[in-house]
Amino acid sequence: MTVTEPLTIAIASAAYRAHYVSWFKDALASQGIRGEVIALEYRSSAPTLAAADCGVILPAYNSPEYRSAVLEWARSESPDLFISLNDYELQILADGLADDLRELGCTVASLGSAAQKIVLDKRLMAVTLHDCAIPTPTTWLGSEAEQAISANPSGDFVVKHRFGSGSAGLGLASAKTLRAAVDESAQSAKNPDGRTSSAGLDAVIIQEQLPGNEYGVDGIFSLHGTGELRGVLARRKDRMRNGDTDVATTVPAERFAASLAALGRVLTPVGPIDVDFKEAADGEPLIIDVNPRFGGGYPFCHLAGADVPADIVRTLVGWDDDPSLLRCEPGLTSARGDDFMVLGRA
């Protein structure tokens, strides 16, 4: 591709994260690359529709019409890049839709089917990381609460949904309250397709609660599907609100690079992925969750000088790497804020 050809960037299911749409528009402008950013949503009230150069209403990702509607739109518009910020939509992409889009010449930030199943199933992910010698906490199924208590009778535990998105079903428990916490979490657990689970206690996982700081780390991988780790951005989570990072401080990223490089060899990600780490008692950072997409915490690194959207658009037009785009200033503390935008006029 030459720089004279305009880029078409599609961002799907960003919902209220309109800043990603704005930052891709800024990236095109700052790099002097012609193109447009298109928001794909199923709700006409999504803020991303107002932020984008163009908004397209599609069926919901869990609708029977979704796949054919996306392909029909892609055949018409020939997008160069397709990014989704919805965990369940990523599952549909990995189940063949991403390959169909790639056949049309589109780069899709999506895992392969086998890798997506690993990250969607937190139990399978823990087993896979352990087998690959990638540091991760000890993990049990909800039905294995007795084993967890026997292994750590005086310790504390984290309970969360096995197939959950974000912090779904998250709870903290002691050995005495663990069974009740598992029961409570199981009541709201969902299947991989986002529907209510019938798996009972096995729809929940238990992990040992780690005592150290928690970090959100972005691994920036090649868009060419090689699994090559190109950059690492990290921030310490200083305060949480409703499962999202509310206040964070950027930190040096070198200590997370080895785990992310190993993760890349296992998953072969395309583009950015969001990985949560927490420190064990000895200070070693362990992987506690993997989201194969732009995460809610990347903005803290963007405000500190990183520009992953600019790096991505440069790659799409075949330009040389600019390492400064995948670095950020350490020690910068930022806070999440609320914003408002006009969606339209009657």
Side-chain angles (χ1 to χ4, degrees):
M1 177 182 295
T2 67
V3 296
T4 59
E5 299 175 349
L7 290 179
T8 299
I9 296 171
I11 301 180
S13 301
Y16 61 88
R17 292 175 176 171
H19 44 271
Y20 280 114
V21 171
S22 298
W23 289 341
F24 269 95
K25 290 172 64 177
D26 292 345
L28 292 171
S30 69
Q31 301 303 309
I33 298 171
R34 294 186 301 130
E36 62 178 350
V37 180
I38 299 177
L40 307 179
E41 298 283 355
Y42 72 93
R43 293 177 301 177
S44 60
S45 60
T48 47
L49 296 173
D53 293 309
C54 176
V56 177
I57 304 296
L58 292 174
Y61 63 85
N62 56 359
S63 164
E65 296 82 21
Y66 169 80
R67 184 186 295 259
S68 60
V70 170
L71 288 175
E72 181 181 357
W73 173 82
R75 292 188 185 103
S76 172
E77 299 298 326
S78 301
D80 298 286
L81 176 69
F82 190 103
I83 291 176
S84 173
L85 300 186
N86 181 285
D87 290 328
Y88 296 113
E89 186 172 42
L90 288 169
Q91 176 70 10
I92 297 171
L93 284 166
D95 191 25
L97 179 56
D99 291 335
D100 292 340
L101 290 169
R102 289 173 182 133
E103 288 182 4
L104 298 175
C106 180
T107 297
V108 184
S110 165
L111 297 179
S113 178
Q116 179 66 25
K117 289 176 181 177
I118 291 173
V119 301
L120 190 67
D121 182 344
K122 291 178 171 58
R123 164 68 169 182
L124 177 59
M125 183 179 69
V127 171
T128 302
L129 294 179
H130 181 269
D131 290 346
C132 295
I134 301 174
T136 193
T138 304
T139 303
W140 300 269
L141 290 172
S143 61
E144 298 171 331
E146 297 300 329
Q147 293 177 233
I149 294 170
S150 297
N152 197 11
S154 60
D156 293 318
F157 302 91
V158 175
V159 174
K160 54 188 173 182
H161 290 167
R162 179 178 177 179
F163 299 104
S165 175
S167 301
L170 182 67
L172 304 178
S174 66
K176 290 182 178 180
T177 62
L178 180 59
R179 300 173 193 83
V182 168
D183 288 340
E184 181 180 355
S185 182
Q187 293 176 14
S188 58
K190 298 183 182 300
N191 289 323
D193 60 4
R195 294 181 171 87
T196 300
S197 173
S198 59
L201 301 183
D202 282 349
V204 175
I205 64 163
I206 303 165
Q207 291 181 328
E208 55 181 332
Q209 185 177 355
L210 303 173
N213 290 316
E214 185 171 342
Y215 300 87
V217 183
D218 298 306
I220 315 302
F221 290 87
S222 169
L223 292 182
H224 304 301
T226 62
E228 175 195 0
L229 179 66
R230 300 181 53 253
V232 183
L233 301 166
R235 58 264 165 199
R236 185 185 65 242
K237 299 183 179 185
D238 297 330
R239 189 171 70 217
M240 304 293 291
R241 174 171 44 137
N242 298 328
D244 288 326
T245 308
D246 200 31
V247 179
T249 301
T250 51
V251 298
E254 291 78 10
R255 64 192 296 229
F256 308 102
S259 287
L260 283 173
L263 193 62
R265 292 190 288 271
V266 173
L267 301 178
T268 319
V270 177
I273 68 172
D274 174 45
V275 183
D276 290 334
F277 287 80
K278 195 164 187 184
E279 291 173 327
D282 62 0
E284 181 183 25
L286 310 184
I287 292 178
I288 60 172
D289 203 6
V290 178
N291 300 294
R293 53 172 169 77
F294 270 114
Y298 166 73
F300 296 102
C301 293
H302 193 89
L303 293 175
D307 197 339
V308 174
D311 175 76
I312 288 175
V313 299
R314 288 177 64 90
T315 300
L316 289 173
V317 298
W319 289 0
D320 292 338
D321 294 344
D322 180 352
S324 68
L325 298 174
L326 301 183
R327 291 196 293 262
C328 64
E329 175 189 351
L332 186 72
T333 300
S334 302
R336 181 186 301 273
D338 294 327
D339 200 2
F340 298 85
M341 60 173 30
V342 174
L343 299 181
R345 290 180 174 84

